[in-house]
Amino acid sequence: MLTSIILLSFVTLKEIQMQTNSELHQVSDIEHKIDLMSSELWLLQQYHDEDALTQTRVAHEELKALLDEELFSQNSKNTIVANLVRMNANIGALLDLSQKDLDSNFRHGITSPAGMLSARYNMTIQSMNEDLGKLERLAIKDSELSQRKILYAVVILLIVGSAVVLILTLLTLKSFSTNLNALTLGIKDLTKGNLNSRIEVKDTDELSVLAQQFNLMKRSLEETTVKKELLQLEVERQTKELQQQREEFQHQANHDSLTKLYSRGAFEEQMQTAIARCGRTNQSAALLFIDLDRFKVINDCHGHAAGDAVLIQIAQKLLKTVRSSDIIARIGGDEFVIWLEPIENATQVITVIHKLTEELAIPIQYQDLNLVIDASIGVSFFPIDAIELSSLLKVADDNMYKAKEIEGTTFQLTSKVTVGLSDAKMA
């Protein structure tokens, strides 16, 4: 804006200068014509002949033609030009008188007609020269005044423009500083992990646009963080469920689904560890192989639901009878095994068997039925009968079949027990 004002002022000053030069040239032309007519009048006064008069008339007409043009736009200058036109017309009238004087007898002297005309000519030319000087001074004065106005206006506009620029600069600096401080605080909040705060945007400048983009970035980060946290929680939940399912599957793989006792595979794993432990510590242990009698009859007569109820209650009776450190498993339809560890003598095992017999003798309640179950128990001892699981199972299984030959709930030991243990109570 300031540059435009300065350029406009230069253009205006140039136009004023050109106008002044044009007016001065016009004044110069008028002055030239007046001087030419003055010269011709001097010749006319000296020689008083027809040629001098003719040349004077020519100069007079040229001056008249120049003055009749619209030379100036100001009224004050046109007034002076009008006065020059009037005086030029007076000279024309005087030239007519000079023509008459030439036609009459010419006489010299100041009081003669020629002398009077000469005086009138000189006075008119003098007046025209004075008006011409006024016109020239007026043109110069108007040019100076116009230039002074332009300069004053430019100075005022420059001062006002500079003040406006200064105010705008201060306001811009204040807005820039405010927005920059807000943006700095927003970045500090972001470095602290605060994604909820937002930068307050009031303006529409570049920093405000940047602040808006910063708010959008924080909102995107907040949404991403929330999604990440939700995803993490979902992963943790599913991991926990998978772990629970894995534990459930592992428990189901290691336990019988009906009785919740160890399954055959889990029992064999537990037994391998137990046998190795007894071998290291030189401890004795016993394996009870239990087969339920008349279970098939119950299944056939009362259904599988009754058979399942019998198996569940038998498992509870077994758990109730033995120690918590002993191992109990269901290895077949109605076959159970119990690993007793450690034992001191056969009497301790027989005591356990008697407890089992007492529990098994109690009828099992199923709906409105009292179901009686007998059991055949075969026993093998570690390490007297065997030191391997398969051998211990075979000995116990053989003894179980021997016990089946006897009515009721019975058990059977091997003959090695009575001679293999140093404790006399084993007999």
Side-chain angles (χ1 to χ4, degrees):
M1 183 184 66
L2 294 177
T3 303
S4 300
I5 291 174
I6 294 174
L7 292 177
L8 182 61
S9 65
F10 285 160
V11 172
T12 306
L13 289 175
K14 181 65 176 177
E15 291 178 353
I16 292 174
Q17 184 180 8
M18 292 177 63
Q19 182 180 359
T20 302
N21 291 334
S22 176
E23 291 179 353
L24 291 177
H25 282 302
Q26 292 171 354
V27 172
S28 177
D29 290 340
I30 295 172
E31 184 179 9
H32 175 70
K33 295 298 182 180
I34 292 175
D35 290 341
L36 179 61
M37 187 174 63
S38 178
S39 299
E40 296 297 334
L41 285 173
W42 182 81
L43 291 175
L44 177 62
Q45 292 171 10
Q46 291 294 325
Y47 297 105
H48 297 281
D49 59 0
E50 191 67 28
D51 292 334
L53 180 59
T54 301
Q55 294 297 327
T56 304
R57 287 186 179 277
V58 171
H60 171 265
E61 292 297 328
E62 290 179 354
L63 177 60
K64 181 177 182 299
L66 180 62
L67 292 176
D68 288 340
E69 297 178 359
E70 294 183 1
L71 301 178
F72 306 98
S73 57
Q74 292 87 352
N75 292 329
S76 58
K77 295 176 184 178
N78 289 328
T79 301
I80 296 175
V81 172
N83 194 31
L84 289 174
V85 171
R86 180 181 57 78
M87 286 186 288
N88 189 46
N90 292 335
I91 289 178
L94 292 175
L95 288 174
D96 293 337
L97 293 176
S98 295
Q99 180 67 45
K100 292 179 180 181
D101 188 50
L102 289 177
D103 294 339
S104 62
N105 294 326
F106 179 77
R107 292 183 305 153
H108 291 284
I110 192 171
T111 59
S112 65
M116 295 294 290
L117 288 174
S118 178
R120 293 287 302 274
Y121 281 134
N122 291 333
M123 291 176 61
T124 304
I125 294 297
Q126 181 65 31
S127 297
M128 292 180 73
N129 285 328
E130 290 177 358
D131 287 345
L132 191 62
K134 292 179 181 180
L135 184 61
E136 184 177 4
R137 289 192 297 273
L138 185 60
I140 295 174
K141 182 179 179 181
D142 288 344
S143 176
E144 291 178 352
L145 182 61
S146 298
Q147 292 181 6
R148 190 178 297 111
K149 290 180 179 179
I150 294 296
L151 291 176
Y152 287 161
V154 169
V155 170
I156 293 173
L157 289 176
L158 287 176
I159 294 174
V160 173
S162 300
V164 171
V165 170
L166 179 61
I167 294 173
L168 291 177
T169 302
L170 293 176
L171 293 176
T172 303
L173 181 61
K174 181 180 179 181
S175 175
F176 180 85
S177 177
T178 302
N179 293 333
L180 187 61
N181 291 334
L183 188 60
T184 302
L185 293 176
I187 294 175
K188 289 182 178 179
D189 289 340
L190 181 60
T191 57
K192 295 177 181 178
N194 183 7
L195 300 178
N196 296 324
S197 62
R198 296 290 184 270
I199 299 176
E200 185 177 357
V201 179
K202 297 181 179 179
D203 300 325
T204 58
D205 54 12
E206 290 79 359
L207 281 179
S208 299
V209 174
L210 181 59
Q212 291 177 351
Q213 295 299 321
F214 184 80
N215 289 336
L216 293 177
M217 181 191 71
K218 291 188 71 175
R219 181 182 302 172
S220 177
L221 286 175
E222 184 179 8
E223 293 176 355
T224 303
T225 303
V226 171
K227 291 179 180 178
K228 183 178 179 181
E229 291 177 353
L230 293 177
L231 180 60
Q232 182 67 27
L233 292 175
E234 181 64 20
V235 170
E236 292 178 356
R237 185 187 66 80
Q238 292 186 6
T239 302
K240 186 176 181 180
E241 289 183 356
L242 289 174
Q243 182 66 25
Q244 292 176 350
Q245 291 177 1
R246 181 175 176 273
E247 293 176 356
E248 290 176 359
F249 290 153
Q250 186 174 3
H251 184 271
Q252 292 175 2
N254 294 332
H255 293 79
D256 177 58
S257 60
L258 181 63
T259 63
K260 308 305 178 184
L261 300 177
Y262 279 116
S263 62
R264 186 182 185 94
F267 175 76
E268 291 179 354
E269 292 180 3
Q270 294 287 333
M271 286 297 298
Q272 295 292 346
T273 303
I275 290 173
R277 183 171 57 249
C278 290
R280 289 194 306 270
T281 58
N282 294 321
Q283 291 180 341
S284 298
L287 177 64
L288 306 184
F289 197 109
I290 304 171
D291 184 80
L292 301 182
D293 298 330
R294 295 184 293 180
F295 178 74
K296 187 175 182 302
V297 177
I298 294 174
N299 247 350
D300 294 340
C301 295
H302 305 291
H304 291 288
D308 291 343
V310 169
L311 293 175
I312 293 173
Q313 294 193 39
I314 291 296
Q316 294 174 354
K317 291 176 181 293
L318 297 180
L319 290 171
K320 182 179 178 181
T321 302
V322 301
R323 297 168 297 187
S324 60
S325 60
D326 296 330
I327 302 173
I328 308 174
R330 179 190 176 198
I331 62 173
D334 57 351
E335 294 177 342
F336 299 86
V337 289
I338 299 176
W339 175 257
L340 303 175
E341 175 197 349
I343 62 170
E344 297 178 357
N345 48 55
T347 303
Q348 191 176 11
V349 177
I350 294 172
T351 302
V352 173
I353 292 175
H354 288 322
K355 290 182 180 180
L356 286 174
T357 303
E358 293 175 359
E359 285 292 333
L360 295 175
I362 301 174
I364 295 175
Q365 300 292 327
Y366 176 72
Q367 295 180 357
D368 56 351
L369 300 176
N370 291 325
L371 303 177
V372 179
I373 291 294
D374 294 330
S376 298
I377 305 173
V379 185
S380 62
F381 288 89
F382 175 90
I384 296 175
D385 290 323
I387 60 174
E388 296 180 355
L389 176 60
S390 59
S391 300
L392 288 169
L393 285 172
K394 186 178 184 307
V395 173
D397 185 61
D398 292 342
N399 288 334
M400 182 270 296
Y401 277 106
K402 292 178 181 180
K404 274 188 175 293
E405 297 175 358
I406 306 172
E407 287 291 335
T409 300
T410 59
F411 67 96
Q412 192 63 244
L413 308 176
T414 59
S415 59
K416 290 183 181 180
V417 176
T418 57
V419 297
L421 292 177
S422 59
D423 191 344
K425 293 181 180 179
M426 292 297 293

